[in-house]
Amino acid sequence: MIIIPEVGNTPYVNNAEFVKLTIINLDGSTVVHTFSSSYKIEVIDGVSYKALGGLLMVGTQQRDLRVTSSDTTITLSGLTSENMYLVLGTPIKGSTIEIWRGFYNDNYILTNTVRRYKGVITSYSIHEDLEGNTDNFIISVNCSAYKTILDNRISGRKTNTASWKQYNPTDVSMDKVQALDNTYFDFGKTVNTSGADSSTTLTATVSQGNK
């Protein structure tokens, strides 16, 4: 159990959401974006979080005693067209998202942070709200917990040579699967190589087997 003194025996709680977005580019490089709903820049574990205030909205995070498949949504508003590279210019789908909740004391000093959520971005949407001649973009990203990703993952091996030899390169169990694909088999009858009627061959074989 996580004990948070800031929420005990107090009539109100001052808090803010802190988001860490880790994007892995196609070339293998990693880019980290950090921002928060705080009114000022905060430094947590040596990492500086930009203050977005009310421009950042974080959905609820489900809390259970056991691991569950929970989703949440993060919305950024007030973005200009120059900031759209964050979504359009990077492979944001599949990126890791972490959400902390920070608590302030009566003097508005950050005293404690608790991680509330960790998952993967599965989809996003972009909305444009034009005000006069000023562009105002709203980006919403949908995040899924790792359990959801594991639930949707295909387990086991496929019936092809590449999948079968992934763990044992010398395994030849599936080498002939491709040649047998779409081949019709008349199960229960013996192979007819002489051109005679297959039913006659089958009857003879069965009769000999009953003697």
Side-chain angles (χ1 to χ4, degrees), residues 29-205:
S29 61
T30 301
V31 179
V32 179
H33 299 276
T34 53
F35 40 88
S36 73
S37 61
S38 177
Y39 70 99
K40 65 176 181 178
I41 297 176
E42 298 285 1
V43 178
I44 302 176
D45 295 333
V47 179
S48 179
Y49 288 77
K50 297 179 181 179
L52 299 182
L55 297 178
L56 172 65
M57 184 173 63
V58 180
T60 59
Q61 299 97 47
Q62 183 175 335
R63 306 294 293 179
D64 293 303
L65 294 178
R66 62 180 182 178
V67 179
T68 56
S69 302
S70 59
D71 297 339
T72 190
T73 303
I74 299 175
T75 303
L76 290 174
S77 59
L79 300 178
T80 61
S81 57
E82 290 79 8
N83 301 126
M84 296 308 297
Y85 76 92
L86 179 62
V87 174
L88 301 179
T90 56
I92 192 171
K93 291 181 63 176
S95 301
T96 302
I97 199 82
E98 298 177 70
I99 302 174
W100 279 268
R101 178 166 295 174
F103 298 90
Y104 292 87
N105 58 18
D106 295 337
N107 297 320
Y108 292 97
I109 298 176
L110 187 65
T111 58
N112 190 15
T113 56
V114 178
R115 191 171 75 177
R116 297 279 298 174
Y117 189 86
K118 184 176 182 180
V120 176
I121 295 178
T122 55
S123 62
Y124 66 88
S125 61
I126 301 174
H127 304 278
E128 182 180 9
D129 184 14
L130 183 62
E131 297 181 359
N133 295 326
T134 303
D135 287 331
N136 178 28
F137 290 95
I138 301 174
I139 300 176
S140 298
V141 294
N142 300 318
C143 312
S144 296
Y146 279 103
K147 186 177 185 300
T148 304
I149 306 300
L150 294 175
D151 289 341
N152 296 330
R153 187 174 182 179
I154 299 175
S155 60
R157 287 184 286 179
K158 300 178 181 179
T159 55
N160 59 59
T161 303
S163 178
W164 215 254
K165 290 188 177 182
Q166 181 178 358
Y167 302 98
N168 184 8
T170 61
D171 194 340
V172 297
S173 303
M174 298 293 167
D175 283 1
K176 295 184 178 181
V177 170
Q178 185 175 359
L180 297 175
D181 187 29
N182 292 327
T183 301
Y184 177 77
F185 290 94
D186 194 1
F187 289 99
K189 295 185 179 182
T190 58
V191 179
N192 182 10
T193 58
S194 61
D197 180 67
S198 59
S199 60
T200 305
T201 307
L202 176 63
T203 303
T205 303

